[in-house]
Amino acid sequence: IHFHSDIEIVWIKEGKILCQVENNNIPLENGQILFIGQDVSHKIVPITKDGTFLYVQINIEQYLENFLNEDALIFYNIFVLDFKLYIA
């Protein structure tokens, strides 16, 4: 379980995952989206053997500070993860 000052958006393209958010277990599957706020402890655990999910982390303070500046860099990270679980 971890947390960070970025907001995080998780989208499940295919497969199933379990998001542990604070003291809640939230199952997600194809097409579902979860928004995780700043400094909220969470963990993502794949449930199915295969799948693809996208998660985006946005530093909201820097984003809002530079929102109206067309020359500004937007501070974010985008991750696309394919997962395959091998269960013995």
Side-chain angles (χ1 to χ4, degrees):
I1 291 184
H2 68 281
F3 65 93
H4 38 76
S5 60
D6 300 336
I7 62 168
E8 188 166 330
I9 302 166
V10 181
W11 171 64
I12 309 307
K13 180 179 178 194
E14 57 185 294
K16 293 182 180 181
I17 65 171
L18 179 69
C19 289
Q20 297 173 346
V21 181
E22 306 239 309
N23 294 322
N24 300 299
N25 289 322
I26 303 168
L28 297 174
E29 57 186 50
N30 300 355
Q32 292 185 312
I33 296 174
L34 177 68
F35 293 87
I36 302 170
Q38 294 175 290
D39 302 317
V40 174
S41 62
H42 60 282
K43 177 180 180 181
I44 297 173
V45 180
I47 295 174
T48 55
K49 290 186 356 180
D50 314 293
T52 303
F53 68 95
L54 167 92
Y55 67 95
V56 179
Q57 294 176 335
I58 301 172
N59 184 311
I60 197 69
E61 284 90 10
Q62 290 178 341
Y63 178 80
L64 293 175
E65 183 178 302
N66 295 297
F67 183 69
L68 298 176
N69 182 350
E70 64 185 45
D71 296 325
L73 294 174
I74 302 300
F75 297 89
Y76 60 87
N77 293 311
I78 297 176
F79 305 92
V80 177
L81 300 177
D82 287 315
F83 61 86
K84 294 192 181 297
L85 294 180
Y86 298 97
I87 302 171

